[in-house]
Amino acid sequence: MKILVTGGTGYIGSHTVVELLNENFEVVIADNLSNSNAEVVDKIEEITAKKVHFEKTDLSCPTATAELFQKHGGFDGVIHFAAFKAVGESVKEPLKYYHNNIFSLINLMNEMEKYKTQFLVFSSSCTVYGQPEELPVTENAAIQKALSPYGNTKQIAEEIITDYCLSNPNFNAILLRYFNPIGAHPSAKIGELPIGVPQNLIPYITQTAIGKREKLSVFGNDYSTPDGTCIRDYIHVVDLAQAHLAAMRRIAEQKNEENIETFNIGTGNGFSVLEIINSFEKVSNQKLPYEFAPRREGDIEKVWANTTLANEKLKWKAKLSLDEMLLSAWNWEKNINKNNE
Ligand code: UFG
């Protein structure tokens, strides 16, 4: 089976490509390298001892997308990761986000229609739930008005795919709503590579521990949570990558009950920022300098997933513990710095 992985040199994409190659899928990566680099392709090949085709393609350009499909004679399925994802930047440059994230999807789906591609697995986000009224949050929870243009692109993309599936009963899509992906491949050859100052918690922690940042600011300690800090459902990126294979299997085996289905992809456990710091200090055997700072605008107080649907229907479950996730993130940080010395 030939799978197109858009954004395949990015953080989640690269880990998913590794899992696909390990299962002997033929993989073509399309990425414009706007937030990643081509060396990731070599690392993927080192880890798997398999070949992967790489195309530097800008999917927001219809001609480039058409050429990609033409060159490969279409694909059996597409896993679509390619998107801009910085919440703060999206507020400052909304058009950049709408242009890239929405046009890419439409161009891709146009070509998928032409080439009769069987399925799409789409990267969505728990951001669509905002602050849910009930926790753990299920897939049926109300979608809340997006807090950023980034979040809105995820909601709009879900709607576009849903409408398309309604009008095309032969097309299949699975929307995966990711919770907070963290950690790195056990080989420490691929992982998250934030450009500039990290906006997300785990890379900020590992960069502080390695000495690149002075101290972590914990955004808010007066939330209505047991220790006052925000709670998230952190999931290891390899567990998350494997959920994509489970989704593809469900479609390939025609076990999907509707031609569009949505699944929460998390562990089902919520951890506070302070719990993350404690676990990190334990696995890395170091003290992490941090201070409490004001709340960050737009942060959700607490969210974690009800994963029953994914566990039962996708026959998939996250396996790695929080300590294992943080240890892999720490090993990755140490490895990047060793290579840069
Ligand atoms: N945090 C800090 N200090 C930091 C960075 C983060 O205290 O320096 C806290 C945040 O306030 C939050 C938690 O750590 O409570 C997690 O923050 P992240 O930025 O790591 O993750 P978010 O939950 O804010 O965002 C993630 C993804 C988004 C996605 C969102 C969906 O990065 O792409 O989940 O809820 F939209």
Side-chain angles (χ1 to χ4, degrees), residues 127 150 180 199-201 217-219 230 232 234 296 299:
T127 194
Y150 158 76
N180 286 50
Q199 303 300 307
N200 296 113
L201 180 63
S217 295
V218 174
F219 299 138
C230 290
R232 296 286 182 276
Y234 296 91
R296 181 171 71 177
D299 264 344

Side-chain angles (χ1 to χ4, degrees), residues 85-87 125-130 148 150-151 154 178-182 192 198-205 215-220 223 229-234 271-273 276-277 291 293-296 298-301 303:
K85 59 170 189 175
V87 177
S125 165
C126 68
T127 194
V128 301
Y129 298 123
S148 69
Y150 158 76
K154 291 294 173 195
Y178 309 155
F179 283 67
N180 286 50
I182 63 167
E192 195 171 1
Q199 303 300 307
N200 296 113
L201 180 63
I202 308 308
Y204 207 103
I205 287 180
K215 61 172 101 133
L216 170 77
S217 295
V218 174
F219 299 138
Y223 284 101
T229 63
C230 290
I231 296 179
R232 296 286 182 276
D233 184 336
Y234 296 91
F271 290 102
S272 73
V273 178
I276 298 291
I277 294 172
E291 65 184 3
R295 291 181 176 199
R296 181 171 71 177
D299 264 344
I300 302 299
E301 182 170 86
V303 63

